Structure formats: structure tokens, C-alpha cells
Amino acid sequence: HEEGDVYEAGHIHGIGHLQCSSGVSVPQRLFDKVIVDAECTHDASIRHMHKFEKQWGWDTFEQRFNRDERLDSLQVLQQGLLVHGFRLLAPNGTLVYSTCSASKRQNEDIVQYLLDTHPEAELEALPSPPEGQAAMPYNPGLDGMEHVARFDAKTSESSGMFVARLRKKALVRQTVGGAATQ
């Protein structure tokens, strides 16, 4: 934010925020931990697929779920949810992004979008299980994305899902030639 910005109080979904004169909305309260369990196509969830089969039948799957316009709209929603969750994260805070989709477009691509548009975002290794407990088996991310987990029914003996853990790096303000930079 620029020096001299004027702030105006308001609310975003029940969370107070400040609107600065440069048009940037700044949350009044930031959180150390945020979970974004994003809306998705549920294509990796066995339970959701059984429900779909009983409710509508497989002959309508393509029409209901895999239309390009629906997937485009869903991708915009997922990007927005992740960016908004990240905005509410305090410096050095942790955000977990998850879906029950096997789609790269709904998982790695969404995480990569945040990494590309927010230089203070970084993927962080998933925590190890407590001593004496076995780690739940999972597959690595697609296209070499590290520090994410893809669970599938065969490998993890559960429904499928995707999990990424991100950290918001604290940006250090430096003075360069008399001008403040981040």
C-alpha cells in the first residue's frame, strides 16, 4: 500500500476489511491458518460418483459436469477462492488448498496460478505423520509439482483428493535510493 492511502471500513462476508484510496481492500484481521476446500467436479470421490450414478445416471455425466463452459466457470471460482483465502492469510501463515477432483486443471493449475500471481506464495512440504504412525500413501503432483499430494482409491484406499500446503512469505521492506520497495 502506498504511503498516504486513506482507509474506509467495510465488510467482506462477515470479515471486516479496509478499503484504501488506491482501491485495494485490506482485511482488518488476518489468520495464521486458512483452509480452502474448493468447489470442484468431485470426479475423484467414489461417494460422489455413486451418488451421481443413482441420482442422474452416467448418460448425463458429460452434459452435467464436463462441459467446457462449466469447467471454465469452476476454474475462475477456484482461483478466486484460493486468492481470497490467501489474502486473509497473515505473513508466515499456512493455507491448505484441497479438492476431491483428480483434474490437473482444478488442482495443480489453480495452485500454479496463485504462485504465478502472488510472489509471496510458496509451496511447503506436507507434514510428516506423528512418530509411530505410517504415512498415508499418495502420488506426487503432475508435471513435477512438488509438495502436493494426490490421493486415489487404489493407492490410499480412500476416495481421491488433492492437497497442497502453501505459506505466505513475509515480504521485507527495503529502501532503495530513498524509495521503499517490497
Side-chain angles (χ1 to χ4, degrees):
H1 311 292
E2 300 297 320
E3 188 174 53
D5 273 345
V6 177
Y7 295 91
E8 174 184 315
H11 283 84
I12 299 175
H13 303 289
I15 296 173
H17 75 281
L18 299 174
Q19 182 78 32
C20 71
S21 59
S22 59
V24 176
S25 180
V26 182
Q28 287 180 336
R29 178 169 180 207
L30 298 176
F31 299 89
D32 294 329
K33 294 180 180 9
V34 172
I35 296 173
V36 177
D37 186 21
E39 176 64 30
C40 66
T41 55
H42 309 291
D43 56 270
S45 170
I46 295 168
R47 185 177 54 123
H48 281 96
M49 290 294 98
H50 285 301
K51 178 180 170 185
F52 182 88
E53 178 183 26
K54 289 178 185 175
Q55 207 166 17
W56 295 298
W58 289 116
D59 56 329
T60 65
F61 183 78
E62 190 73 27
Q63 174 189 358
R64 290 182 184 272
F65 282 95
N66 286 337
R67 293 185 331 267
D68 284 339
E69 60 272 8
R70 181 177 189 286
L71 295 176
D72 291 345
S73 172
L74 192 55
Q75 189 172 26
V76 169
L77 174 65
Q78 291 164 335
Q79 289 171 342
L81 290 169
L82 184 55
V83 167
H84 186 70
F86 194 75
R87 283 185 51 232
L88 295 173
L89 195 60
N92 294 314
T94 301
L95 180 145
V96 172
Y97 175 77
S98 65
T99 72
C100 57
S101 173
S103 167
K104 177 182 175 286
R105 186 173 175 185
Q106 296 176 62
N107 297 323
E108 287 90 349
D109 289 355
I110 301 299
V111 170
Q112 192 61 55
Y113 172 82
L114 182 74
L115 294 171
D116 291 345
T117 59
H118 291 76
E120 70 279 21
E122 66 181 351
L123 277 165
E124 187 172 69
L126 298 170
S128 299
E131 191 173 325
Q133 288 186 0
M136 183 177 228
Y138 61 86
N139 297 308
L142 299 177
D143 293 340
M145 182 173 276
E146 296 182 1
H147 304 311
V148 300
R150 294 178 141 273
F151 297 89
D152 65 70
K154 184 177 179 185
T155 305
S156 63
E157 298 180 8
S158 71
S159 276
M161 65 179 164
F162 173 87
V163 178
R165 180 176 167 162
L166 297 126
R167 176 163 302 279
K168 181 184 266 187
K169 298 183 278 189
L171 296 178
V172 179
R173 290 184 69 89
Q174 300 174 343
T175 303
V176 178
T181 63
Q182 287 197 28

